[in-house]
Each structure stands twice: as C-alpha cells, then as structure tokens.
C-alpha cells in the first residue's frame, strides 16, 4: 500500500506542484516569516510589569496573524488559479496549520528575545 501523495510537494518540486499546493506553501511561509518578525517585535516590547497603555502583545499577535492571512489570501487569489475555491475557502485554506505555526514560532522567538 502506497501512502505517498500523487502530487509532488515541497519547495524543491515547485514547478511540478499544482496551484492549490503552491498557494498553501506561499501562505505558510508568509505566516512563518510574519511570526518571526512578530516574535522579535513583541520580545523587545514586552515589559515584566504588564503596565501597558496600548494594545497587549497577545492581541497584537492575533491582529498581525489575521491581517497577514487576509493579505496573503488576496495575493494568492490573484497570483494562482484557484477558480474552484470561493474567497472564504481561500482565507480558511491553511488557517489551522498556519495558526499553529504562527503561535509556535512567535512564542519561541519572543521568549528567546525576552530572556536573552
């Protein structure tokens, strides 16, 4: 029994991938890049006293994640042929894995910057 996908995956097979897989990969890499930048920014911005006058780091991260997801959804809708998907499907496309990846990298980078 072969459990391998019939579609080639990964950056090394970019030319062989279909547009849906390419768009997912672009969205995932964009979200991971945004999470690293957010982790650096919130790690520098974090105060141990929790005395914020503006938006907290948690809400800032959530706003950045949703904003990046919306922007990347718009970009991949224009760049790739996803005619079989609606706009909301394109936004939801990869939201769970993107959210978990964003949270993971954001937390690791934030703690690395804060505790160093």
């Amino acid at each position: 029994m072969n459990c391998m996908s019939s579609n080639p995956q990964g950056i090394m097979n970019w030319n062989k991938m279909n547009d849906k897989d390419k768009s997912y990969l672009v969205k995932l890499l964009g979200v991971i890049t945004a999470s690293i930048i957010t982790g650096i920014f919130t790690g520098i911005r974090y105060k141990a006293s929790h005395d914020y006058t503006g938006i907290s780091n948690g809400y800032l991260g959530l706003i950045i994640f949703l904003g990046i997801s919306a922007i990347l959804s718009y970009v991949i809708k224009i760049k790739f042929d996803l005619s079989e998907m609606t706009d909301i499907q394109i936004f939801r496309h990869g939201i769970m894995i993107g959210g978990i990846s964003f949270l993971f990298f954001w937390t690791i980078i934030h703690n690395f910057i804060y505790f160093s």
Side-chain angles (χ1 to χ4, degrees):
M1 181 174 182
N2 189 357
C3 295
M4 299 292 287
S5 173
S6 62
N7 295 332
Q9 298 174 349
I11 295 173
M12 300 303 282
N13 293 317
W14 180 262
N15 292 332
K16 298 176 187 174
M17 292 170 65
N18 61 26
D19 279 352
K20 189 172 183 180
D21 292 336
K22 285 180 183 178
S23 67
Y24 178 75
L25 188 59
V26 166
K27 195 171 198 181
L28 186 62
L29 291 175
V31 165
I32 289 173
T33 303
S35 69
I36 292 170
I37 293 168
T38 303
I40 292 169
F41 180 71
T42 58
I44 293 170
R45 183 179 178 263
Y46 185 76
K47 298 182 208 171
S49 66
H50 302 288
D51 186 26
Y52 291 106
T53 56
I55 190 168
S56 70
N57 282 338
Y59 284 124
L60 180 64
L62 180 64
I63 290 168
I64 291 172
F65 171 68
L66 292 175
I68 288 297
S69 293
I71 291 168
L72 286 172
S73 295
Y74 178 74
V75 168
I76 65 174
K77 181 176 173 70
I78 292 171
K79 186 153 177 78
F80 300 107
D81 179 26
L82 301 175
S83 58
E84 72 276 359
M85 296 175 72
T86 64
D87 290 344
I88 200 73
Q89 286 175 324
I90 293 172
F91 180 74
R92 286 189 332 216
H93 178 62
I95 197 91
M96 186 66 180
I97 298 300
I100 292 170
S101 299
F102 185 89
L103 186 62
F104 175 76
F105 285 105
W106 175 30
T107 305
I108 297 299
I109 300 298
H110 172 85
N111 286 331
F112 180 76
I113 297 294
Y114 177 69
F115 290 115
S116 63

